[in-house]
Amino acid sequence: MKRLLLFAMVCASISFVSAQRKFDKVSKVTSSEIRWWGYKVVKTEASSHSGTVKLKSGKFNFDKTVLVDGEFVIDMRSLMAGDVSDEDMIKLTNDLKSTNFFEVKKFPIAKFHLTKIIPLANSQYNSTVYGDVTIKGVRKTITFPANVYVTQFTVVVESAKFSLNRRDFKVFYQSSLKDYFIKDEMDIQFKVSTEKLDNENRVPVKKK
């Protein structure tokens, strides 16, 4: 009986180690830029706001030399408005971080799990990126165009400007008429890379 129990424990240990060693190579993001845009219902330059948010951590996982997926953590506490005067910037930034919108004290991070990249031909962008984004604990599957370059274990992803519906993530005034003047779609655009690359050395992601 003791031998059987010991054998079971050894098998469990081997299974755990195997599960931990899921990827042959992990390439960490070393450079990133994330921008956002929000709009009033009447979408004009004067009625829009833009700003930035910072990536806390990011990585791409490889199976041998094949890119499998990517995992990214966004620091919502770094959320900033950047297109207004200093006084208005502080006011707008604090409002965005409050319970009116992103509730950063309760939800200090957002996540994006890149699950698939499909190459595109004859397009402004060379790929369609698929993934799951989690904001305020709500996860949604999204897709967007991007230029993706993979050279060995070096990865660069430059997204197009794409939209998320803030209401999908419960980002809205809970009880205020103010919310009816804000457009539901918010735009995002980002660039992440594992290291800097010259344009001449960039290689579009290849179809598996």
Side-chain angles (χ1 to χ4, degrees):
M1 183 68 179
K2 289 183 178 179
R3 289 183 179 180
L4 181 61
L5 180 60
L6 180 60
F7 178 74
M9 291 175 65
V10 170
C11 290
S13 298
I14 293 173
S15 298
F16 177 78
V17 172
S18 298
Q20 292 295 304
R21 192 181 179 279
K22 185 177 180 181
F23 304 107
D24 294 322
K25 174 70 176 180
V26 175
S27 189
K28 293 185 178 180
V29 171
T30 58
S31 177
S32 63
E33 180 181 348
I34 308 172
R35 293 191 58 81
W36 60 264
W37 290 263
Y39 309 96
K40 296 289 181 66
V41 172
V42 180
K43 186 175 178 179
T44 65
E45 185 176 349
S47 66
S48 67
H49 290 295
S50 65
T52 60
V53 65
K54 294 181 180 179
L55 187 72
K56 185 174 183 179
S57 64
K59 63 180 181 179
F60 294 94
N61 299 310
F62 288 82
D63 181 7
K64 296 181 180 178
T65 58
V66 178
L67 177 61
V68 177
D69 67 359
E71 300 172 46
F72 309 92
V73 178
I74 298 96
D75 183 4
M76 296 303 294
R77 292 169 296 187
S78 69
L79 183 70
M80 290 286 293
D83 64 331
V84 288
S85 64
D86 290 344
E87 184 177 347
D88 289 337
M89 179 187 73
I90 294 172
K91 183 179 179 181
L92 177 56
T93 296
N94 288 339
D95 199 23
L96 290 170
K97 291 181 177 181
S98 74
T99 54
N100 288 332
F101 289 99
F102 290 99
E103 296 186 79
V104 299
K105 286 186 178 180
K106 185 177 180 181
F107 303 99
I109 62 172
K111 296 180 180 180
F112 177 60
H113 179 203
L114 188 157
T115 57
K116 184 168 56 175
I117 299 171
I118 303 297
L120 292 174
N122 304 318
S123 176
Q124 181 182 355
Y125 294 92
N126 65 30
S127 302
T128 299
V129 173
Y130 293 73
D132 299 317
V133 62
T134 302
I135 301 174
K136 293 183 69 173
V138 179
R139 186 177 66 180
K140 295 288 183 180
T141 298
I142 62 172
T143 65
F144 53 85
N147 281 321
V148 181
Y149 308 95
V150 180
T151 306
Q152 293 295 330
F153 299 112
T154 298
V155 184
V156 177
V157 179
E158 300 173 336
S159 83
K161 185 186 287 189
F162 61 95
S163 296
L164 298 177
N165 189 318
R166 63 188 178 91
R167 289 188 170 274
D168 288 343
F169 305 95
K170 300 179 181 179
V171 178
F172 51 81
Y173 280 99
Q174 297 301 314
S175 57
S176 175
L177 289 175
K178 291 181 180 180
D179 200 66
Y180 291 100
F181 297 97
I182 303 172
K183 197 171 180 66
D184 288 342
E185 287 74 25
M186 55 183 183
D187 288 345
I188 307 291
Q189 189 171 27
F190 70 88
K191 176 182 176 181
V192 295
S193 61
T194 56
E195 66 179 63
K196 291 184 178 179
L197 278 180
D198 296 329
N199 288 333
E200 294 180 357
N201 295 327
R202 292 183 177 185
V203 179
V205 65
K206 295 180 180 179
K207 192 171 184 178
K208 296 178 183 180

